[in-house]
Amino acid sequence: MITEEKRPALRPFHNATAAFAEGTDSPREFLERCIAVIEEDQPKFHAFVNLDLTYARAAADASGKRWKEGAPLSSIDGLPVGIKDIIETANMPTEMGSPLFAGYRSGRDAASVAALREAGAVVVGKTVTTEFAASVPRETRNPWDPARTPGGSSSGSACAVGDGMLPAALGTQVIGSILRPASYCGAFGYKPSVGGINRGGSLDYHSQSCQGVIAASLEDAWLTAREITARAGGDPGFPGIRGPRAVPEPRKPARLAFLQTAGWPAATDDAKEQLQSVLDRFRAAGITIADRSGDSDIAKAEDAIAGAMQLSTTINTWDFRWPLNVFARNMDHSKLSSVMQERLVLAERMTLEEYQDAIAERDRLRAIFAVLADHFDAAVTLTAPDAAPLGLESTGNPAFVVPGSMLGVPAITLPLMRTQGLPLGLQLLGYSGRDADLFSVARAVAVL
Amino acid sequence: MITEEKRPALRPFHNATAAFAEGTDSPREFLERCIAVIEEDQPKFHAFVNLDLTYARAAADASGKRWKEGAPLSSIDGLPVGIKDIIETANMPTEMGSPLFAGYRSGRDAASVAALREAGAVVVGKTVTTEFAASVPRETRNPWDPARTPGGSSSGSACAVGDGMLPAALGTQVIGSILRPASYCGAFGYKPSVGGINRGGSLDYHSQSCQGVIAASLEDAWLTAREITARAGGDPGFPGIRGPRAVPEPRKPARLAFLQTAGWPAATDDAKEQLQSVLDRFRAAGITIADRSGDSDIAKAEDAIAGAMQLSTTINTWDFRWPLNVFARNMDHSKLSSVMQERLVLAERMTLEEYQDAIAERDRLRAIFAVLADHFDAAVTLTAPDAAPLGLESTGNPAFVVPGSMLGVPAITLPLMRTQGLPLGLQLLGYSGRDADLFSVARAVAVL
């Protein structure tokens, strides 16, 4: 375990830009500070699968010129950013965490990456993902303790941000792939309302998957996601992330719904105690916290999310039948993991009617959860049952985060707690399309 | 113009399979009859951009073996099928109608193509599309008169089916790209409810676009689409095409809503007369035909679809910002048509808020149209204002077909009429998710 003195430190970007404008700091100097950490820690933690520092330095210089001229392209002009390696980049391979795509270059930017470049952000590298952003882990280690998993599937993004290599990195979440690794690595994580960020050019075909941001601050998370959406929109037919271009103002919630979720039995006593003490602080600040024992709508919501993992797995299995079947048929089948090969067998056993039933059930459960909006500013729970587990074989238990994915609601993890001296996230769940409101709540409670 | 004696003839597949089972015909012989027409007419009409007859013959032989053993994979086992060239195929390039993608091979099958192969269908070739399935035409000619457009963007698919080269071919429609060319080439065309067929692996990112089928019979259209959906589903998160695996039984409608649409002023007197005489036949068969003058819901629906072209163009412009921007930035910009370059300028001028307003408006208009379901089995109108226009510069006027695209409802064109000795389609519009009901109506009225 890393000693107290050597703890990884987050490296926020939003509060550096004033110095860029004044000329006392520059995007290139900011980037070089990131690169210093990358050069020291990448060999130990393996956050990146590819880096393009030559490009990044040139992009940072160009950004610096714009800041100097008083004409930055956006509030994230100069932001050093990592891209999860299922998302295409014109200047680097996109290897999908799979030997099937070793060295693969699509030759184009994904929609979100194109938008980041339009906004002046500096694409630094591709961050390690599990195989096809699913469960088979790759080489990344937890920057707080390299004997532990960083979580997955946005493993490299969480590691890079948690370690201070970068202020922000793109991730995707269909089960728990943004919030869980963010919790394990001590970073902020933001999964938008489903459809919030355009997934064009990403290997990301699941109906409840969503692109999002792991960041060193809530401000960085919002600005990154919102500036992407302003230029690339959400998924086609979706409104994208709604709300102001600037970071939503903090607004202390009056009432929060505490959810146990199906993860509660797995949570350690210490995790529960840590959560309790956070909730006590919230109560002391005048926030009412209700739970299933005292509120029938919360009880119904708990019942609605109890089977989130199973229902999500059913839906995901069908949603990924293609392209998994053509990876197996048109490419080298032996390069698929046994997990993926088994998943294909399950997918090919499913019928369209089973899928139709599953998505209808998901709609029903979403409507039950949405009722909470009448009485609660947001829901609150743990992000994970414990700190990152030891070992790299598993990316950890997603039971606390899969409900947000299934519900399609915005979700945020705040690195507010510690257990075993390691980070543990507090999770906030909001309401579909109301991402800005959730940020207002999150900014308010993060400082209580 | 082609003389009466040499008129192109449709080549249905569904009524050939009994002979496959009996052994009096075979998929290979069926394919060879198709190939004979292709070899004669492809040099004149240019329906295909790529053919793989070696593969097709082997696939047909394999299908024949299955029929002989009494074990066909599906009702479309052995179906020779064409694939619009924005849809990826593992064994042929996917050139997108653009010099940017000349010779491009993705190395994998799109979801619908993988499903067709699973069902035993025989992929024969890639059919010509306009540039990125938009408005700039390529080399295909109308098989009824090579001096005329085949329509677009599913130009080659309509030509191949209308000419009897193939019984079925995949198309896509975001404005009018399945039904319009089907009308011009004398084929049946079916655009499913939006989301009805999985578009994975197709250059098809528009929120109101849909993959569908141009076919030699209603039966072929349904069976092809339904067998794809059974294996590939609809777009992720959509239920796909609902209904029986077999062709829905004919069911004579009691009431049809006649819509003029914004296309009416452009319709020729003869087209209007032809339609009138079809509607007279329907009335003689006991079907009530109502219109805007006598029904306030129809009047409201007419108002709702009056601006379909403009609203669709706004939505499509944003939806195609990506990947058009990376085609321009990451690839050879000079290989984009001026039309595409101008479209990118318009896309980059749009804001997310304009898009949000446009899709909200589309939702509002869809709800107005849906009210017709209370009183009408389907809506009916022309598919095009006239026969295919002379010249290859334009793919024709889509005013009659864009409402179905904007509304996201299932739409069928029936080659029931002639004008100037050339084909003209009758269009039926149904209700979202009720594709099977529309087929029942279509089968009933097609024989009146």
Side-chain angles (χ1 to χ4, degrees):
Chain A
M1 201 175 309
I2 289 175
T3 61
E4 200 66 18
E5 303 74 52
K6 292 175 83 177
R7 274 187 174 170
L10 297 174
R11 185 181 302 281
F13 178 82
H14 71 281
N15 49 14
T17 54
F20 297 170
E22 288 161 11
T24 55
D25 192 8
S26 73
R28 177 65 187 269
E29 290 166 88
F30 193 104
L31 174 68
E32 293 298 339
R33 296 194 292 273
C34 293
I35 290 175
V37 183
I38 292 170
E39 288 184 339
E40 183 174 347
D41 288 354
Q42 164 68 7
K44 291 183 284 185
F45 305 140
H46 311 287
F48 296 94
V49 57
N50 275 292
L51 286 159
D52 188 347
L53 298 183
T54 306
Y55 164 84
R57 286 178 163 125
D61 287 342
S63 169
K65 199 154 168 280
R66 291 189 294 269
W67 281 104
K68 230 180 224 169
E69 290 164 356
L73 295 169
S74 75
S75 59
I76 60 166
D77 197 336
L79 172 80
V81 63
I83 310 295
K84 182 175 181 175
D85 202 31
I86 59 165
I87 303 170
E88 296 173 27
T89 43
N91 64 324
M92 281 177 278
T94 302
E95 309 197 29
M96 322 270 189
S98 165
L100 268 185
F101 287 89
Y104 169 72
R105 286 175 180 270
S106 72
R108 67 176 187 179
D109 283 335
S112 54
V113 174
L116 282 170
R117 294 199 218 260
E118 276 182 46
V122 173
V123 175
V124 174
K126 303 299 287 284
T127 57
V128 172
T129 174
T130 59
E131 182 192 30
F132 304 133
S135 60
V136 177
R138 299 298 170 199
E139 66 275 23
T140 307
R141 292 165 180 270
N142 192 305
W144 285 73
D145 179 358
R148 293 173 190 266
T149 178
S153 63
S154 306
S155 317
S157 288
C159 173
V161 174
D163 191 50
M165 297 175 180
L166 291 176
L170 297 189
T172 63
Q173 176 166 321
V174 62
I175 294 282
S177 288
I178 292 173
L179 268 62
R180 176 181 47 179
S183 176
Y184 288 169
C185 296
F188 294 83
Y190 166 40
K191 181 200 89 68
S193 295
V194 72
I197 293 180
N198 191 331
R199 286 178 290 165
S202 178
L203 185 82
D204 196 6
Y205 301 102
H206 297 94
S207 55
Q208 68 182 42
S209 186
C210 197
Q211 218 172 94
V213 187
I214 296 173
S217 69
L218 279 170
E219 291 84 349
D220 290 336
W222 175 262
L223 294 173
T224 302
R226 188 63 185 79
E227 292 299 330
I228 290 172
T229 292
R231 291 163 179 81
D235 288 329
F238 286 79
I241 299 168
R242 295 179 188 277
R245 289 289 270 272
V247 188
E249 289 301 316
R251 196 172 57 243
K252 198 180 76 180
R255 292 166 57 83
L256 294 174
F258 163 62
L259 295 175
Q260 289 191 330
T261 82
W264 202 244
T268 62
D269 289 344
D270 188 53
K272 290 177 186 171
E273 278 170 33
Q274 297 302 324
L275 175 66
Q276 203 47 62
S277 88
V278 169
L279 296 183
D280 285 345
R281 291 211 306 270
F282 291 1
R283 286 192 193 94
I287 300 170
T288 300
I289 314 277
D291 65 22
R292 66 181 310 157
S293 68
D295 186 286
S296 66
D297 287 340
I298 297 178
K300 286 177 196 160
E302 290 273 24
D303 291 345
I305 62 176
M309 188 67 202
Q310 199 184 333
L311 184 62
S312 296
T313 301
T314 299
I315 290 170
N316 292 344
T317 298
W318 178 269
D319 281 339
F320 203 57
R321 177 176 167 149
W322 184 91
L324 192 50
N325 59 355
V326 298
F327 291 164
R329 276 185 229 156
N330 303 149
M331 302 177 79
D332 181 354
H333 184 263
S334 71
K335 290 183 178 167
L336 288 174
S337 69
S338 58
V339 170
M340 280 293 156
Q341 300 200 21
E342 284 156 26
R343 190 186 276 212
L344 179 56
V345 171
L346 294 177
E348 293 190 329
R349 276 192 204 140
M350 264 186 83
T351 67
L352 178 62
E353 290 69 25
E354 287 171 310
Y355 182 72
Q356 290 169 343
D357 290 347
I359 59 173
E361 173 67 0
R362 186 173 64 183
D363 283 346
R364 191 182 72 81
L365 301 176
R366 287 178 175 184
I368 293 170
F369 182 83
V371 171
L372 292 185
D374 295 345
H375 301 293
F376 299 99
D377 298 282
V380 61
T381 185
L382 292 167
T383 307
D386 195 2
L390 281 163
L392 301 180
E393 308 74 32
S394 159
T395 54
N397 184 339
F400 281 99
V401 276
V402 65
S405 299
M406 183 200 74
L407 296 168
V409 298
I412 291 174
T413 183
L414 304 171
L416 290 186
M417 300 180 285
R418 293 280 181 271
T419 183
Q420 308 175 53
L422 295 165
L424 177 65
L426 181 82
Q427 183 181 200
L428 296 167
L429 295 169
Y431 305 106
S432 190
R434 291 177 47 194
D435 299 48
D437 290 339
L438 188 65
F439 268 84
S440 290
V441 168
R443 290 189 72 198
V445 303
V447 295
L448 291 179
Chain B
M1 200 177 309
I2 290 175
T3 60
E4 200 67 18
E5 301 74 50
K6 294 175 82 177
R7 273 185 177 175
L10 296 175
R11 184 181 301 281
F13 177 82
H14 71 281
N15 49 14
T17 54
F20 297 170
E22 290 160 10
T24 55
D25 192 8
S26 74
R28 177 63 186 268
E29 291 166 88
F30 193 104
L31 175 67
E32 293 298 339
R33 296 195 292 275
C34 292
I35 290 175
V37 183
I38 292 171
E39 288 184 339
E40 183 174 349
D41 287 354
Q42 164 68 7
K44 292 183 284 185
F45 305 140
H46 311 287
F48 296 94
V49 57
N50 275 293
L51 286 158
D52 188 347
L53 298 183
T54 305
Y55 165 84
R57 285 179 164 125
D61 287 342
S63 169
K65 198 154 169 282
R66 291 189 294 268
W67 280 104
K68 230 179 222 170
E69 290 164 355
L73 295 169
S74 75
S75 59
I76 60 165
D77 197 336
L79 173 80
V81 63
I83 309 295
K84 183 175 181 175
D85 202 31
I86 59 165
I87 303 170
E88 296 174 27
T89 43
N91 63 326
M92 281 178 277
T94 303
E95 309 198 27
M96 322 271 188
S98 165
L100 267 185
F101 287 89
Y104 169 72
R105 286 176 180 270
S106 72
R108 66 176 187 181
D109 283 335
S112 54
V113 174
L116 283 169
R117 295 198 218 260
E118 277 183 46
V122 173
V123 175
V124 174
K126 302 301 286 284
T127 57
V128 173
T129 174
T130 58
E131 182 192 30
F132 303 133
S135 61
V136 177
R138 298 298 172 200
E139 65 275 23
T140 307
R141 293 166 180 269
N142 193 305
W144 286 73
D145 178 356
R148 293 174 189 265
T149 179
S153 63
S154 306
S155 317
S157 288
C159 173
V161 174
D163 191 50
M165 297 176 180
L166 291 176
L170 297 188
T172 63
Q173 176 166 321
V174 60
I175 293 282
S177 288
I178 292 173
L179 269 63
R180 176 181 47 181
S183 176
Y184 288 168
C185 295
F188 294 83
Y190 166 40
K191 181 201 87 69
S193 295
V194 72
I197 294 180
N198 191 331
R199 287 178 290 165
S202 177
L203 184 82
D204 196 7
Y205 301 101
H206 298 95
S207 55
Q208 67 182 43
S209 187
C210 197
Q211 219 173 94
V213 187
I214 295 174
S217 70
L218 279 170
E219 290 85 348
D220 290 336
W222 176 262
L223 294 173
T224 303
R226 188 65 185 79
E227 293 298 331
I228 291 172
T229 292
R231 292 162 179 82
D235 288 328
F238 286 80
I241 298 168
R242 295 179 187 278
R245 288 289 270 272
V247 188
E249 290 300 315
R251 195 171 59 241
K252 199 178 77 179
R255 293 166 56 82
L256 294 175
F258 164 61
L259 295 175
Q260 289 191 330
T261 82
W264 202 244
T268 62
D269 288 344
D270 189 54
K272 289 177 187 172
E273 277 170 33
Q274 298 302 324
L275 174 67
Q276 203 48 61
S277 87
V278 169
L279 296 183
D280 286 344
R281 291 209 307 272
F282 291 1
R283 285 191 194 94
I287 300 169
T288 301
I289 313 277
D291 66 22
R292 66 181 308 157
S293 68
D295 186 286
S296 65
D297 287 341
I298 297 179
K300 286 176 198 161
E302 290 273 24
D303 291 345
I305 63 176
M309 187 68 202
Q310 198 185 334
L311 185 62
S312 296
T313 302
T314 299
I315 290 169
N316 292 345
T317 298
W318 180 268
D319 281 339
F320 204 56
R321 177 176 168 149
W322 184 91
L324 192 49
N325 59 355
V326 298
F327 292 164
R329 275 185 232 156
N330 301 149
M331 302 177 78
D332 182 354
H333 184 264
S334 72
K335 289 183 178 167
L336 289 174
S337 69
S338 58
V339 170
M340 280 293 157
Q341 300 201 21
E342 283 156 27
R343 191 187 275 213
L344 180 56
V345 171
L346 293 176
E348 293 190 329
R349 275 190 204 140
M350 265 185 83
T351 66
L352 178 62
E353 289 70 25
E354 288 170 310
Y355 181 71
Q356 290 168 342
D357 291 347
I359 60 174
E361 174 67 1
R362 186 173 64 183
D363 284 345
R364 190 182 72 82
L365 301 176
R366 288 177 175 184
I368 292 170
F369 182 83
V371 171
L372 292 185
D374 295 343
H375 301 292
F376 300 98
D377 298 281
V380 61
T381 185
L382 291 168
T383 307
D386 195 1
L390 281 163
L392 301 180
E393 308 74 31
S394 160
T395 54
N397 184 340
F400 281 99
V401 276
V402 65
S405 299
M406 183 200 74
L407 295 168
V409 298
I412 291 174
T413 182
L414 304 171
L416 291 187
M417 300 179 286
R418 293 279 181 272
T419 184
Q420 307 176 54
L422 295 165
L424 177 66
L426 181 81
Q427 183 181 198
L428 296 168
L429 295 170
Y431 304 106
S432 189
R434 291 177 48 195
D435 299 49
D437 290 339
L438 188 66
F439 268 85
S440 290
V441 168
R443 290 189 71 196
V445 303
V447 294
L448 291 180

